Amino acid sequence: MEPVVGDIDQLEIDPLDMFCSSVDTLRGTQIDQRIPPGSGWSDRPTKSSGVGRTQNENFREEVKLLCRHGVPPSLRCATWIINVVAAVNPSMSKPECDEYGTFQKVRVLDHGWDLVVRSLFPDKTDLERAEILDFGLGEEQLMNVLVRDQGEGSIPDSGLKSLIMVLHAARDSLGIEFCPLLLDITCLLLSYMTESYAYATIRQMVRDDSSYFLAVSRVQHLAWCKTFSDLMKRYFPQTGAVMEQIGALTPVGLEPILKRFFVPLLRRKHVLRIMDIFTGEGVHAIFRIGTTLCCLSHAHLGESILENCDNAAIFWEGVRRYAHSKHFRFDIFLEHQAYGTQRTMRFLSRPIFPYPQYVNNLIAANEEWAEQNQGSLPAYEERK
């Protein structure tokens, strides 16, 4: 990893306090190391400056706002892991969180990763024989991840090796057995991180068995599906009714969002923008962006889609076509739909989407429901 730093006097800073630059471990492509001027991101990112220019006590919220406008590619490695650490450690100070993005932490994370790899693959042939894990994603979707959806063409052998190592570490060292989102999330992490940083980020995501970032059991996944369905029907009732009728709100129907992290629906650059937001806001960002995307896309479905929209696959194809069209403006969508507000009184307004605490309470209630009803839920029913 190279340091991310502007044209400043190198004697002013400790090299260990400099942030690590992003590196594409998955595909080996070059990453733009420039930080756009006037973007709000620090042009001299060190532990003392932070990734953003703000130094106030409300740094977490300030960075979340910055992330909604997009993280510079060179800062994604540092920003993503700092966001995740800050989200799961609310009592941790800003310098303690920022340290995770610096060279000071590289040696620690690399050493820990080396120990994990040695324990999992004591012999070279062990890694050669290791198979890709799907964590409940399913064979068809797994092939889409490996061959088509994560960049141009198939993932190269070197990237596939890294992916296998991180996934096996997630299962054998972190105890993750079921987590459909993990495949795409890991691929996105490895697109800007080394193996050690991707593993460390996932380890933080599943700390204390929290479902803030990932559903790591079938019960949690079903609770997420039920929560998404409840939010659609309550806040976007017309779209929710259509989606329910065609099976797009079932666990199988919601796969493009809750199993694939929008990858089959959006352009890659927009999936990465959602990843910028997700690392700070967790699953709440998936619900917020997912429900509003469904509502907006439903309003713009073409006539050919509307006339034949009698199953979930056709609906999602309509969403994909709209999201790839010239009419879809991602920044406007985020600002005015996903994070927009609506006026309730003359001088008062409230967000279009409910606050995180409401969503968290709904997930908790639905986890109890999923626990009691998982045996009778059509989680793996045939697609209509």
Side-chain angles (χ1 to χ4, degrees):
M1 286 186 175
E2 297 293 331
V4 177
V5 66
D7 296 329
I8 61 175
D9 187 348
Q10 298 292 320
L11 297 177
E12 293 181 7
I13 59 175
D14 182 345
L16 293 178
D17 284 343
M18 296 164 63
F19 282 122
C20 303
S21 62
S22 301
V23 58
D24 185 355
T25 304
L26 190 71
R27 308 194 70 91
T29 61
Q30 292 294 317
I31 292 178
D32 185 358
Q33 298 299 327
R34 295 172 297 175
I35 300 175
S39 63
W41 296 94
S42 176
D43 55 4
R44 43 186 294 170
T46 66
K47 182 179 176 181
S48 59
S49 72
V51 289
R53 296 181 181 276
T54 178
Q55 295 296 315
N56 60 38
E57 295 180 357
N58 200 27
F59 74 95
R60 286 180 172 84
E61 293 303 317
E62 293 291 337
V63 172
K64 284 181 182 179
L65 291 175
L66 276 175
C67 287
R68 292 172 194 171
H69 294 282
V71 180
S74 61
L75 285 177
R76 275 189 168 132
C77 175
T79 302
W80 286 358
I81 193 169
I82 290 171
N83 279 351
V84 172
V85 169
V88 299
N89 300 278
S91 62
M92 190 177 284
S93 67
K94 182 179 185 298
E96 290 175 317
C97 294
D98 286 347
E99 185 177 305
Y100 276 80
T102 67
F103 275 87
Q104 190 170 355
K105 206 71 174 178
V106 168
R107 199 174 303 170
V108 176
L109 298 183
D110 283 351
H111 177 67
W113 174 244
D114 287 340
L115 294 177
V116 170
V117 171
R118 274 187 240 160
S119 68
L120 294 177
F121 309 105
D123 189 89
K124 183 179 179 180
T125 58
D126 295 329
L127 179 56
E128 294 173 353
R129 291 194 301 264
E131 297 181 350
I132 191 77
L133 306 172
D134 75 354
F135 293 94
L137 181 61
E139 184 176 347
E140 179 183 350
Q141 294 291 6
L142 174 61
M143 291 305 300
N144 288 337
V145 172
L146 301 179
V147 176
R148 186 181 66 187
D149 293 343
Q150 288 294 337
E152 296 293 331
S154 301
I155 298 174
D157 290 343
S158 59
L160 185 59
K161 176 182 174 182
S162 296
L163 179 61
I164 289 174
M165 292 170 68
V166 174
L167 293 178
H168 275 262
R171 184 191 66 179
D172 298 336
S173 294
L174 302 179
I176 303 175
E177 296 287 345
F178 179 90
C179 185
L181 275 178
L182 191 59
L183 267 294
D184 283 297
I185 293 295
T186 304
C187 286
L188 294 172
L189 292 175
L190 286 172
S191 297
Y192 290 88
M193 292 179 168
T194 61
E195 297 155 1
S196 61
Y197 263 72
Y199 172 73
T201 303
I202 294 169
R203 183 177 61 191
Q204 290 288 329
M205 284 182 172
V206 297
R207 182 178 175 180
D208 300 326
D209 194 31
S210 170
S211 61
Y212 184 85
F213 286 106
L214 299 171
V216 293
S217 71
R218 285 178 171 79
V219 168
Q220 287 181 345
H221 178 70
L222 291 173
W224 280 20
C225 294
K226 178 72 162 56
T227 299
F228 193 101
S229 175
D230 290 345
L231 292 169
M232 278 301 316
K233 289 185 285 188
R234 175 163 184 173
Y235 291 93
F236 309 101
Q238 290 183 321
T239 303
V242 171
M243 293 179 68
E244 184 174 38
Q245 183 178 7
I246 62 176
L249 292 182
T250 65
V252 170
L254 287 170
E255 283 185 2
I257 293 177
L258 296 184
K259 279 194 172 184
R260 295 298 318 280
F261 198 74
F262 301 95
V263 171
L265 303 177
L266 301 178
R267 297 180 187 272
R268 182 170 175 81
K269 63 181 180 179
H270 295 152
V271 174
L272 290 168
R273 290 283 301 278
I274 295 176
M275 187 69 176
D276 292 339
I277 300 169
F278 171 73
T279 56
E281 301 181 23
V283 68
H284 189 261
I286 297 179
F287 290 137
R288 177 191 288 271
I289 295 171
T291 54
T292 50
L293 176 66
C294 289
C295 181
L296 181 64
S297 300
H298 179 234
H300 290 83
L301 292 181
E303 289 186 10
S304 61
I305 296 291
L306 286 173
E307 291 175 358
N308 300 285
C309 192
D310 59 356
N311 62 69
I314 294 178
F315 176 81
W316 293 121
E317 174 60 20
V319 174
R320 190 196 66 80
R321 288 187 188 181
Y322 171 66
H324 283 72
S325 73
K326 63 181 181 180
H327 304 292
F328 183 63
R329 300 286 190 268
F330 187 76
D331 287 297
I332 295 175
F333 160 69
L334 283 184
E335 181 179 357
H336 295 289
Q337 273 85 37
Y339 290 89
T341 59
Q342 56 187 7
R343 190 179 299 278
T344 56
M345 298 179 65
R346 184 175 180 183
F347 300 107
L348 296 176
S349 62
R350 65 175 178 82
I352 293 174
F353 195 78
Y355 291 103
Q357 189 55 53
Y358 173 85
V359 177
N360 293 340
N361 293 339
L362 189 56
I363 293 174
N366 284 334
E367 282 189 3
E368 296 181 9
W369 175 87
E371 185 75 48
Q372 296 171 1
N373 295 277
Q374 60 176 317
S376 59
L377 289 176
Y380 306 102
E381 66 184 2
E382 293 294 326
R383 287 174 175 81
K384 292 186 177 181

PDB file of all heavy atoms in Angstrom, residues 71 198 255 340:
ATOM      1  N   VAL A  71     -17.058   8.654  -1.972  1.00  0.00           N
ATOM      2  CA  VAL A  71     -15.711   8.655  -1.423  1.00  0.00           C
ATOM      3  C   VAL A  71     -14.719   8.597  -2.578  1.00  0.00           C
ATOM      4  O   VAL A  71     -14.876   7.760  -3.481  1.00  0.00           O
ATOM      5  CB  VAL A  71     -15.491   7.445  -0.488  1.00  0.00           C
ATOM      6  CG1 VAL A  71     -14.075   7.449   0.073  1.00  0.00           C
ATOM      7  CG2 VAL A  71     -16.516   7.463   0.647  1.00  0.00           C
ATOM      8  N   ALA A 198      -9.679  -6.402   4.140  1.00  0.00           N
ATOM      9  CA  ALA A 198     -11.029  -6.905   3.880  1.00  0.00           C
ATOM     10  C   ALA A 198     -11.479  -7.818   5.010  1.00  0.00           C
ATOM     11  O   ALA A 198     -12.619  -7.712   5.501  1.00  0.00           O
ATOM     12  CB  ALA A 198     -11.056  -7.663   2.549  1.00  0.00           C
ATOM     13  N   GLU A 255     -34.096 -11.096  -3.735  1.00  0.00           N
ATOM     14  CA  GLU A 255     -32.688 -11.476  -3.883  1.00  0.00           C
ATOM     15  C   GLU A 255     -31.805 -10.391  -4.504  1.00  0.00           C
ATOM     16  O   GLU A 255     -30.676 -10.193  -4.051  1.00  0.00           O
ATOM     17  CB  GLU A 255     -32.573 -12.765  -4.703  1.00  0.00           C
ATOM     18  CG  GLU A 255     -32.907 -14.007  -3.911  1.00  0.00           C
ATOM     19  CD  GLU A 255     -32.675 -15.284  -4.715  1.00  0.00           C
ATOM     20  OE1 GLU A 255     -32.213 -15.177  -5.879  1.00  0.00           O
ATOM     21  OE2 GLU A 255     -32.943 -16.372  -4.188  1.00  0.00           O
ATOM     22  N   GLY A 340     -34.550  12.412   0.834  1.00  0.00           N
ATOM     23  CA  GLY A 340     -35.386  13.595   0.742  1.00  0.00           C
ATOM     24  C   GLY A 340     -36.295  13.765   1.945  1.00  0.00           C
ATOM     25  O   GLY A 340     -36.402  12.896   2.814  1.00  0.00           O
TER      26      GLY A 340
END
